[in-house]
Amino acid sequence: MTTTPDKNAVLNELQQFVQPAALMASPAEAEADPAVPVQWLRFLDEQEHGRRLALLTEWSDFAAEWPSVQDFLRTMLKHLYVMREQDDTLSLLYLYTVGGKDLNFFRGRAPITDVPERLRPVWDWVPAKFRDFYTQLHDGWTFLPANSMGPLPVEDWAFLSDDKFDIDDDTARRLPIDISRTVAVFHNGAGDYLCLNCVGNGEATGVIWWHEDPENPEPVDFWGVLDAWVGIFLEEADRHGA
């Protein structure tokens, strides 16, 4: 287990991006907040004893599809924290460093308990493992400052037909996908989105919407691109050994 970062330094870094009402590093601190998921308490308890078996076990269900995160958890993750924000949003923070000192975070919110109304028409098309991630582990898992480089919280999922993508009706008719059933679920931080094309009789298929080439969405292997984008983003993270 790596050295525990100074909590004040962590708070100072976080306050550049969010306003924490509380930052909990120990199970005793987190247990005082009844809204903290029991699952997260186990993670903190094991961390306090130099282990991460529960964390790795929970993530192992997605290891085959998303091996870059298993590598991150085993060799880059330095510490876990539970953060409560001023609006009472709870997140599990995954701290890692770059260049030996720069503090960075991935943020996982509590699992969803209900599918938003606007997503219900396409939810059954979402790959089963991806749905399980949201209902069993985290409502999104993204790089904290930019809310990118990981699966977005469901509140930030957006259909390509939404105004933010600025696809006019004439362009939409020429596209090989139905933009009203293609939902962006991952932002790469550079204006491009990994999407799920929710049509047909089986699971949704992967599509990249390139902001510089919006009229040519690219069919892709959904999990393959998701894993590759996260892995590339984490290439500069400090490693501490398996």
Side-chain angles (χ1 to χ4, degrees), residues 2 17 31 41 65 67 74 81 88 90-91 103 118 138 142 147 151 154 158-159 163 168 179 189 217 220 236 238 241:
T2 57
F17 317 113
E31 284 173 357
L41 297 177
E65 295 81 7
R74 292 181 181 277
Y81 298 89
D88 288 335
L90 280 170
S91 300
L103 303 182
R118 66 188 179 86
H138 286 308
T142 57
N147 192 34
V154 291
F159 290 94
D163 290 343
D168 61 56
I179 62 174
V220 294
E236 294 184 357
D238 297 325

Side-chain angles (χ1 to χ4, degrees), residues 10-11 14-15 17-23 83-86:
V10 173
L11 277 169
L14 287 171
Q15 286 166 357
F17 317 113
V18 295
Q19 292 299 314
L23 185 65
M83 178 179 68
R84 178 182 284 280
E85 294 179 53
Q86 301 288 347

Side-chain angles (χ1 to χ4, degrees), residues 131-208:
R131 280 181 281 151
D132 288 347
F133 176 75
Y134 280 83
T135 59
Q136 298 175 16
L137 189 53
H138 286 308
D139 175 15
W141 192 76
T142 57
F143 180 57
L144 176 60
N147 192 34
S148 64
M149 298 316 304
L152 293 165
V154 291
E155 68 179 28
D156 296 320
W157 286 20
F159 290 94
L160 291 186
S161 55
D162 292 353
D163 290 343
K164 67 181 290 182
F165 294 101
D166 197 27
I167 301 174
D168 61 56
D169 292 343
D170 187 49
T171 300
R173 282 191 290 271
R174 297 197 304 270
L175 292 178
I177 57 175
D178 181 351
I179 62 174
S180 69
R181 294 188 65 84
T182 303
V183 59
V185 300
F186 184 117
H187 182 215
N188 73 352
D192 308 313
Y193 289 83
L194 176 60
C195 308
L196 287 168
N197 184 18
C198 301
V199 295
N201 296 320
E203 288 187 341
T205 55
V207 175
I208 296 178

Side-chain angles (χ1 to χ4, degrees), residues 11-81:
L11 277 169
N12 288 338
E13 186 68 24
L14 287 171
Q15 286 166 357
Q16 299 181 52
F17 317 113
V18 295
Q19 292 299 314
L23 185 65
M24 297 159 260
S26 72
E29 291 175 315
E31 284 173 357
D33 188 331
V36 174
V38 172
Q39 180 190 48
W40 297 2
L41 297 177
R42 291 199 301 271
F43 297 164
L44 293 185
D45 181 66
E46 284 203 346
Q47 175 173 260
E48 198 166 70
H49 294 87
R51 300 189 300 272
R52 288 193 178 136
L53 179 60
L55 180 71
L56 292 170
T57 298
E58 292 290 347
W59 276 94
S60 66
D61 285 345
F62 315 100
E65 295 81 7
W66 204 359
S68 63
V69 178
Q70 287 293 310
D71 184 39
F72 168 80
L73 297 174
R74 292 181 181 277
T75 70
M76 305 172 208
L77 175 63
K78 292 184 72 70
H79 210 70
L80 295 169
Y81 298 89

